[in-house]
Amino acid sequence: MLDDIDLWKRRIRWRAHHRGTKEADLMIGGFCEAHIDTWGPDEMSWFEALLEEQDVDIMAWAMGRGDPPEKFRGALLEAMLKLDYVKVAK
């Protein structure tokens, strides 16, 4: 079972970091890296469903500029709204 979870996490990490734009990679990938090791199956399923959405929508929700669908509202989206996980190169 552990191998299945590790494979699932690797797949989620890859998808979170390969969105198509640097901004989306930093925001979505950064959120993933900051939290995935604390997530259980429910949280990983939530995030995997989020990855199916358009980057512009995810980023708008994370910046509080759009209304996310009900299925994404809750503690995980609230954590994403903090944006404290985005690493900015100096």
Side-chain angles (χ1 to χ4, degrees):
M1 181 69 174
L2 181 61
D3 289 337
D4 292 339
I5 295 291
D6 289 341
L7 178 62
W8 192 11
K9 285 183 179 183
R10 283 195 307 271
R11 185 177 64 234
I12 288 172
R13 279 187 164 109
W14 193 92
R15 290 184 64 207
H17 284 285
H18 295 88
R19 302 302 296 178
T21 67
K22 184 170 184 161
E23 294 83 1
D25 292 348
L26 288 170
M27 181 180 287
I28 299 166
F31 181 72
C32 177
E33 286 307 316
H35 298 282
I36 196 168
D37 288 331
T38 65
W39 290 343
D42 290 342
E43 293 86 1
M44 288 174 29
S45 292
W46 177 91
F47 191 71
E48 197 166 45
L50 184 79
L51 293 175
E52 294 297 322
E53 301 295 319
Q54 296 294 315
D55 292 348
V56 293
D57 294 332
I58 296 170
M59 293 174 70
W61 305 333
M63 292 185 287
R65 296 185 181 222
D67 292 324
E70 185 66 34
K71 67 182 179 179
F72 294 121
R73 295 180 189 166
L76 288 174
L77 188 61
E78 289 174 17
M80 193 175 222
L81 286 168
K82 292 180 183 178
L83 296 175
D84 59 353
Y85 51 85
V86 177
K87 304 279 192 260
V88 179
K90 295 182 182 190

